[in-house]
Amino acid sequence: MEKQQSSLIGRPRGFDADQALERAMLVFWEHGYEGASTAVLTNAMGVSTTSMYAAFGNKEKLFRRVLERYTEGPSAYFAQALEEPTALNVATAVLAGTVRTTSGPAHPHGCLGVQGALTTSGSGQEVRDLLVAWRNDGYCRLRERFQRAVDDGDLPPQTDPGLLARYLTTFAYGIAVQAASGVDRDELREMADAALRNWPPV
């Protein structure tokens, strides 16, 4: 009970943790891990530094919560794409979701999971490793899905599922970088369509 009470110290009346987490996600998405200072975060979240630490722990723990929210929210298209009936449908849905999420008008452009901590100082190494693992998880899930497609005859038997998954994730991350650089959505869609023209024929 004492632990629960102490976690509430400094939390302002009407504190909405869910809304604060959403705002923190947008800050990290726009500025990256190291670029998101505590002052910028607390200002966007509408809380004091004490309240932020009481509710979410330190900055790294907050980022971990944000990444979970990003995975279950803006990036949820990825898990949904894996449920598509064919490998080509999976790839189409992944790239369409990438374009939609990385170039939407209502949030920062680019991908939090790609650009959140590409370069960090020693203090941000754990976050960098976290995002490497996050990206690798996406690759592994795609590889497993494409292996099933090979086993089911949906992809040619000579297809290398790992190479195909690496091709798709690399292209998707490239779209995210292009979106962050200001390339418009129509051009990103054309790029995705071009990539899918090279899909292995059944």
Side-chain angles (χ1 to χ4, degrees):
M1 184 66 178
E2 290 181 0
K3 184 177 181 180
Q4 182 178 4
Q5 288 177 339
S6 64
S7 69
L8 300 178
I9 294 175
R11 184 177 297 185
R13 180 178 299 178
F15 179 88
D16 187 329
D18 189 67
Q19 185 179 74
L21 194 60
E22 176 73 16
R23 291 174 177 173
M25 180 184 73
L26 295 176
V27 172
F28 281 124
W29 194 344
E30 181 176 1
H31 298 285
Y33 179 73
E34 291 202 336
S37 67
T38 300
V40 171
L41 283 166
T42 54
N43 183 62
M45 296 164 73
V47 299
S48 67
T49 302
T50 302
S51 296
M52 186 184 83
Y53 286 142
F56 302 108
N58 60 23
K59 182 180 174 182
E60 180 189 325
K61 291 179 180 178
L62 173 62
F63 185 83
R64 288 177 181 274
R65 290 281 301 277
V66 159
L67 185 61
E68 290 174 1
R69 186 179 187 88
Y70 181 81
T71 302
E72 296 168 0
S75 193
Y77 68 86
F78 184 81
Q80 296 165 2
L82 295 176
E83 302 301 321
E84 291 288 336
T86 69
L88 178 56
N89 288 150
V90 169
T92 301
V94 166
L95 294 186
T98 301
V99 170
R100 186 173 60 251
T101 302
T102 61
S103 63
H107 49 66
H109 287 184
C111 173
L112 173 65
V114 174
Q115 294 144 273
L118 288 179
T119 57
T120 57
S121 62
S123 62
Q125 186 60 45
E126 288 190 17
V127 168
R128 185 178 182 181
D129 292 343
L130 173 68
L131 291 181
V132 169
W134 184 84
R135 293 191 295 270
N136 190 56
D137 178 69
Y139 158 74
C140 289
R141 293 170 70 185
L142 270 177
R143 182 186 61 196
E144 291 169 3
R145 177 63 183 83
F146 292 156
Q147 181 62 64
R148 293 204 309 272
V150 172
D151 296 341
D152 295 341
D154 178 44
L155 284 171
Q158 70 273 17
T159 301
D160 182 337
L163 181 60
L164 192 59
R166 190 68 73 191
Y167 169 78
L168 187 63
T169 53
T170 299
F171 200 89
Y173 297 150
I175 285 177
V177 172
Q178 292 295 316
S181 300
V183 177
D184 67 56
R185 182 174 285 190
D186 288 341
E187 187 172 351
L188 296 174
R189 285 177 176 144
E190 290 176 0
M191 291 164 55
D193 290 343
L196 294 173
R197 292 191 198 109
N198 296 318
W199 197 253
V202 179

